[in-house]
Amino acid sequence: MNESHHAFERYEAIWLRVVLVMILVFLVLIAYTALNYGQTIPRGAGQIRVGEVRAGSEFANPRLEQVGNEYVAYVQAFAFGYSPGEMRVKRGRKVTFYVASPDVVHGFMIERTNINVEVVPGYVSKVEYTFDRPGTYKIICHQYCGLGHAKMLSRIVVEE
Amino acid sequence: MAVRTLSRPDAYADAPEKKVTLYLLMLGFVALLIGSLFGPLQALNYSNIDLYPFLRPLVQSYYQGLTLHGVLNAIVFTQLFAQAVLLYLPARSLGLRPNMTLAWVSWWMAFVGLAVAAIPLLGNEATVLYTFYPPLKGHWAFYVGAAVFVLSSWVTGWLVLEMWLRWKRANPGRITPLPAYMSVVHWLMWFLASLGLVVEVAVFLIPWSFGWIEGVDPLLARTLFWFTGHAIVYFWLLPVYVIAYTVLPRQAGGKLVSDPLARVVFLLFLLFSTPVGFHHQFSDPGISNFWKWVHTILTMMVALPSLLTAFTIAASLEVAGRARGGKGLLGWVWALPWNNPSVLAFLLGFILFIPGGAGGMVNASFTLNQGVHNTTWISGHFHMQVAGLVAMGAMGAAFWLIPHLTGKPLVRPGLAWASMWLWFIGMFIMTFALHWMGFLYGVPRRSYIAEVPEAYAGAGPWMVLNAISGVILFVSIIFFFYVIFATALQRRRDFSQVQEIPFAEAISKPEGNSLALLAERVWLWFAVAAGLVLVAYGPVLVGMLVNLNPVPGVRLW
């Protein structure tokens, strides 16, 4: 084995360049997808006092409502369930979800979509999505919230 | 061969640092044993085999078991391993002895902290998982015990810094030996990184758990937690990297290819380990996309030192394999000492680390993260890394470190070897299945799936793989712990047979190397790292602190 370190240093320099280019390509791709398909990234929509989630805010009347050609949903994620329960929307129409918790941290994940939200008490989470395929989608709490965590499931039905 | 018995009370009179190292190490392995025994229960849970009801009244729920699994394995074991190895290796490489009084203070702090935290954990009074997100509120003893335990790591860090400063005074102008250099950088990284956790627990959670303050802002608590929470994985990983760089090449029969590059790698960890925490909070409200994007860039940068490590370790192993007669493109791989359990543990651990690292870059990608966040994909990812290279590196090191410290030869090396293969196979199957269950079927992590068997029926075949891996890993655990406890507790002891630590030689040496000289200015780099943290976290934390929105605590388990 030739132990001359010049060979290693040459390969090392090549590898370093490969790695830096790879990282740069990844960052460009992330930026591109965030700018063009980023509406499913959850955003904060301000603070809320936990006491007001069940009384004195939009969330006190949890609902899915049609606004023009779109939907707006005010969802309570609580220990251990969601309100409103099952939601029904038409396919191809944008749904804006506002989610808040009156107790502990919960999750709001919709299977087979990019909707993946942490619901932190004291803060309103907002996320937008357009369902393109009809069907029934599970809504899953994916943040440990206590003994009933695994059973904290709901559904959204997307109709033709 | 002179054989002495354990009855000699001054077996460690010549090297008291060996005794404290052994105590730190073994306390960590006891924690790992208890924590790991819950692992197969978690794996079986995913295939709807629920053994938890049989554990009552000892263990009340799946989530209590999961809390014990996470806290003991990921906080207690990992920290104690770092405290043992990155106290002892720098002491040996500098030829100095740490302040023994403080060394024992650190052990007792760890022990007492662990004991205090264990009471509520075992009593189901702190079933808050290892992330303990408020407003879930555990018993105060959990937070106090955890704080004392974590602060014991600061004492170890100080001991290493003090030894290093002593060495610098005695050796002006010389470059710090590599194992000591890496240890110093590791502890400085941890001082900086652990501030988030320490502030969260000391300023908010402890006063809250005593009832002195009404509530805690859950978002601020999460942010402080993840300030430490990502860097902590490097706190776990770097002790294993130190062994991979400074010992493994020699054990494999070769040399480390580049000493200066190893220093640069550790400096990059010092710089980029901490200002990356928002990639755990991509789905959180209350942090703007701008700051999440900044942390995305910094997170991608922290891939750099691990990718450089992949190069250096692979090249060093190639040197070893060729020195052992391996020929051709891959011949050197088969020529490596696969029969040595210590080397085997690292080889297999690094094999797991490659797909694990690739998955980590997926998680770090702001947009891709939405597809996997908080699913079992994440559990699969960190088991590949922490239960993969970190745990296997620690286990592999134990096979030579325990004999080195105690003078007691390794018992049943064949069983040690088999335990590493079984661990690797079990972890590979399990993490593979967890990744796909999470990504394809949205199976959530940390969830008592056995309670809702129909909910994820589609993921059935992957879930069966979990059960199989759980059984394989259980057998591996039995083998491994038999070997190390039988080794440590046997009566045979012969210090005359003990070999010095097999520190590897480097091909590219640090003396006169400009990179190594630049890297030696540790305080300058520490200041840069602190500045980077200030920029990446300062504005967001200030914003959260002026808009505090405290929420009262609840107990929901």
Side-chain angles (χ1 to χ4, degrees):
Chain A
M1 176 70 205
N2 173 17
E3 283 194 354
S4 116
H5 45 79
H6 298 298
F8 289 121
E9 279 165 10
R10 204 173 62 241
Y11 287 125
E12 202 176 278
I14 294 170
W15 175 245
L16 180 63
R17 287 191 182 91
V18 169
V19 166
L20 287 174
V21 168
M22 186 175 85
I23 290 174
L24 194 67
V25 169
F26 286 167
L27 284 172
V28 168
L29 284 172
I30 297 165
Y32 176 80
T33 51
L35 290 173
N36 291 280
Y37 308 96
Q39 72 276 21
T40 58
I41 294 171
R43 278 150 227 264
Q47 289 186 328
I48 184 168
R49 296 180 62 84
V50 275
E52 289 174 0
V53 174
R54 282 182 162 140
S57 71
E58 291 282 11
F59 296 93
N61 173 24
R63 63 197 184 274
L64 172 77
E65 61 184 24
Q66 196 161 353
V67 181
N69 221 6
E70 298 182 0
Y71 297 95
V72 178
Y74 291 92
V75 180
Q76 264 189 35
F78 57 88
F80 301 99
Y82 297 94
S83 184
E86 187 180 292
M87 289 183 274
R88 289 181 169 271
V89 297
K90 292 256 186 290
R91 129 188 136 79
R93 298 193 187 170
K94 189 166 92 177
V95 190
T96 305
F97 297 94
Y98 293 93
V99 195
S101 161
D103 40 52
V104 297
V105 185
H106 294 285
F108 183 81
M109 172 170 76
I110 304 184
E111 63 171 346
R112 309 199 305 278
T113 71
N114 278 342
I115 297 186
N116 192 324
V117 184
E118 296 265 0
V119 187
V120 181
Y123 295 81
V124 177
S125 290
K126 175 189 175 187
V127 68
E128 296 165 355
Y129 196 75
T130 305
F131 292 88
D132 288 327
R133 288 193 192 145
T136 303
Y137 296 75
K138 261 202 308 291
I139 300 175
I140 301 163
C141 177
H142 65 13
Q143 184 57 268
Y144 169 64
C145 53
L147 273 186
H149 167 49
K151 289 182 177 164
M152 187 168 162
L153 299 165
S154 184
R155 299 199 299 179
I156 183 161
V157 179
V158 180
E159 298 165 334
E160 263 308 329
Chain B
M1 189 164 79
V3 175
R4 292 176 211 143
T5 61
L6 257 177
S7 58
R8 229 163 60 95
D10 56 344
Y12 295 98
D14 299 339
E17 66 277 10
K18 281 190 172 179
K19 188 173 180 181
V20 77
T21 303
L22 183 71
Y23 271 57
L24 288 162
L25 193 68
M26 295 315 282
L27 184 60
F29 277 123
V30 169
L32 183 68
L33 171 61
I34 300 168
S36 299
L37 286 175
F38 286 97
L41 301 181
Q42 253 75 255
L44 291 172
N45 159 67
Y46 281 118
S47 46
N48 300 328
I49 303 168
D50 186 9
L51 296 183
Y52 274 98
F54 300 104
L55 294 179
R56 287 196 195 110
L58 215 56
V59 179
Q60 299 294 329
S61 70
Y62 170 84
Y63 299 107
Q64 192 192 355
L66 187 58
T67 304
L68 285 163
H69 180 71
V71 170
L72 290 174
N73 289 358
I75 295 182
V76 177
F77 161 68
T78 46
Q79 180 185 310
L80 284 164
F81 182 74
Q83 286 179 283
V85 168
L86 294 196
L87 176 68
Y88 188 69
L89 293 186
R92 274 289 165 274
S93 92
L94 295 173
L96 294 173
R97 177 165 297 159
N99 178 321
M100 287 310 298
T101 311
L102 281 181
W104 282 109
V105 165
S106 76
W107 188 84
W108 278 103
M109 281 175 73
F111 182 74
V112 171
L114 178 56
V116 170
I119 296 166
L121 285 171
L122 295 171
N124 196 30
E125 296 292 327
T127 299
V128 288
L129 304 191
Y130 107 107
T131 44
F132 48 85
Y133 294 137
L136 286 175
K137 187 177 184 178
H139 192 278
W140 60 263
F142 170 69
Y143 304 110
V144 171
V148 173
F149 180 82
V150 169
L151 287 179
S152 86
S153 71
W154 284 15
V155 179
T156 309
W158 162 250
L159 286 170
V160 174
L161 270 183
E162 188 277 327
M163 274 194 293
W164 178 59
L165 294 172
R166 222 189 313 156
W167 186 90
K168 289 292 262 186
R169 274 195 303 276
N171 299 275
R174 278 185 62 197
I175 289 184
T176 311
L178 186 60
Y181 180 85
M182 292 173 144
S183 306
V184 166
V185 172
H186 169 267
W187 287 114
L188 287 177
M189 184 278 282
W190 179 239
F191 282 134
L192 188 60
S194 56
L195 284 175
L197 191 65
V198 168
V199 170
E200 183 200 1
V201 173
V203 178
F204 295 100
L205 300 189
I206 289 177
W208 176 60
S209 66
F210 280 119
W212 300 337
I213 55 173
E214 275 298 302
V216 170
D217 185 322
L219 184 68
L220 176 66
R222 285 168 66 83
T223 306
L224 289 170
F225 182 86
W226 288 115
F227 180 108
T228 303
H230 190 73
I232 205 173
V233 307
Y234 302 111
F235 175 64
W236 306 335
L237 175 64
L238 295 191
V240 169
Y241 269 15
V242 172
I243 298 168
Y245 273 99
T246 65
V247 176
L248 176 68
R250 166 112 168 248
Q251 286 180 326
K255 293 177 178 177
L256 173 66
V257 293
S258 173
D259 171 302
L261 188 66
R263 291 169 198 262
V264 172
V265 162
F266 268 60
L267 274 189
L268 289 170
F269 277 119
L270 173 62
L271 293 181
F272 295 118
S273 287
T274 309
V276 300
F278 291 166
H279 79 251
H280 290 256
Q281 297 179 279
F282 282 150
S283 293
D284 280 25
I287 299 167
S288 78
N289 282 350
F290 170 78
W291 288 108
K292 289 175 180 174
W293 172 246
V294 169
H295 282 229
T296 302
I297 296 170
L298 292 165
T299 309
M300 284 292 165
M301 293 309 292
V302 83
L304 183 59
S306 274
L307 287 161
L308 293 177
T309 298
F311 175 88
T312 308
I313 299 299
S316 302
L317 290 172
E318 183 178 349
V319 169
R322 294 202 188 282
R324 299 170 64 91
K327 303 245 180 309
L329 191 63
L330 288 175
W332 61 271
V333 175
W334 317 123
L336 289 169
W338 290 85
N339 57 350
N340 175 339
S342 291
V343 175
L344 177 73
F346 274 90
L347 295 176
L348 298 178
F350 272 109
I351 291 173
L352 282 174
F353 208 63
I354 295 167
M361 296 187 86
V362 170
N363 307 341
S365 303
F366 193 1
T367 41
L368 287 179
N369 172 72
Q370 300 173 92
V372 295
H373 176 78
N374 266 10
T375 67
T376 57
W377 168 286
I378 304 299
S379 324
H381 165 70
F382 66 72
H383 277 86
M384 226 166 201
Q385 310 297 78
V386 185
L389 181 61
V390 173
M392 294 186 83
M395 291 165 159
F399 295 145
W400 61 265
L401 193 56
I402 293 175
H404 168 90
L405 295 171
T406 58
K408 301 173 177 184
L410 187 69
V411 168
R412 304 286 300 270
L415 218 50
W417 181 86
S419 74
M420 290 300 95
W421 269 111
L422 288 173
W423 188 270
F424 169 74
I425 294 165
M427 270 307 157
F428 197 92
I429 296 173
M430 185 188 93
T431 53
F432 188 71
L434 285 174
H435 273 94
W436 293 123
M437 279 156 53
F439 176 56
L440 296 176
Y441 302 97
V443 179
R445 69 188 282 199
R446 340 174 107 175
S447 194
Y448 188 18
I449 299 293
E451 203 178 31
V452 283
E454 338 68 43
Y456 308 97
W462 303 104
M463 294 189 165
V464 172
L465 287 180
N466 260 284
I468 295 169
S469 68
V471 174
I472 297 173
L473 285 163
F474 182 70
V475 176
S476 168
I477 289 167
I478 304 285
F479 284 10
F480 172 75
F481 284 105
Y482 171 77
V483 168
I484 64 157
F485 287 119
T487 299
L489 298 175
Q490 69 188 314
R491 299 178 66 83
R492 204 143 67 102
R493 193 201 283 282
D494 182 4
F495 275 111
S496 68
Q497 297 293 308
V498 168
Q499 298 181 343
E500 260 312 299
I501 297 177
F503 282 130
E505 243 188 278
I507 296 172
S508 266
K509 297 205 190 310
E511 284 77 21
N513 180 291
S514 55
L515 271 182
L517 284 169
L518 196 63
E520 192 69 13
R521 302 174 70 176
V522 173
W523 295 114
L524 170 74
W525 293 111
F526 182 69
V528 174
L532 209 52
V533 170
L534 211 60
V535 170
Y537 265 110
V540 180
L541 281 177
V542 168
M544 286 181 186
L545 283 167
V546 296
N547 294 304
L548 274 185
N549 190 3
V551 171
V554 274
R555 172 178 171 158
L556 294 174
W557 65 87

